[in-house]
Amino acid sequence: MSEKRSKRKVFLKKIITKRRLVILNEETFEEIFSFKLNILNVFIVATIGAIFLISITSYIIAFTPLREYIPGYSSSKLKQDAIDLGLKSDSLEFALKKNDAYIQSVKKVLTGDLEYAKVNKDSIMASEYVDPSEYNFNASDEEMELRKQVDQESKKSKK
């Protein structure tokens, strides 16, 4: 057990120990800049940078038109065009069936194969008779004035 603890302490000490990164000019050995780093800080910065790059890339792919270039994603315009073409084909199919039925009925009339419809005369006679005297067909005063105005305008336009 003590070996594990000592190994952990040694590993922790290596990670936390400060190190110096120095950038030098090779010809003059002049120090351009330097950093004091430890392995833990470098690991944390690299991990955060990787997560940031992955999230930005995912966002760009998910919410921009770039996703259309990835296999498996179809464009929204393509989906809308497919729906429109489906609706048009359905309406054209309906119109074609309607025209075929019309042509068949015209053929029957021209060849004389038409069956005459039998009319039930009793149902025609039994329909309600409407007495025209029940309704007032006289024009109102407003309607008479409108008729006069229309007549006057038509006479003026003829002249």
Side-chain angles (χ1 to χ4, degrees), residues 35-120:
F35 291 113
K36 284 187 178 179
L37 303 171
N38 59 24
I39 295 174
L40 185 62
N41 288 347
V42 172
F43 178 73
I44 289 172
V45 169
T47 304
I48 289 172
I51 290 171
F52 179 73
L53 283 175
I54 290 170
S55 61
I56 291 296
T57 305
S58 300
Y59 178 80
I60 288 172
I61 290 173
F63 298 109
T64 62
L66 281 177
R67 71 171 170 243
E68 295 173 9
Y69 296 108
I70 297 174
Y73 285 102
S74 60
S75 69
S76 57
K77 185 180 182 309
L78 182 65
K79 288 180 184 178
Q80 186 63 37
D81 288 345
I83 291 170
D84 290 342
L85 288 175
L87 292 173
K88 283 182 183 179
S89 66
D90 287 345
S91 63
L92 288 174
E93 185 178 344
F94 177 73
L96 183 64
K97 286 181 182 178
K98 192 175 174 182
N99 285 341
D100 285 342
Y102 176 75
I103 290 171
Q104 291 300 324
S105 64
V106 169
K107 280 183 183 178
K108 285 182 181 178
V109 169
L110 293 176
T111 58
D113 294 338
L114 185 65
E115 295 179 11
Y116 296 104
K118 296 180 180 176
V119 179
N120 188 355

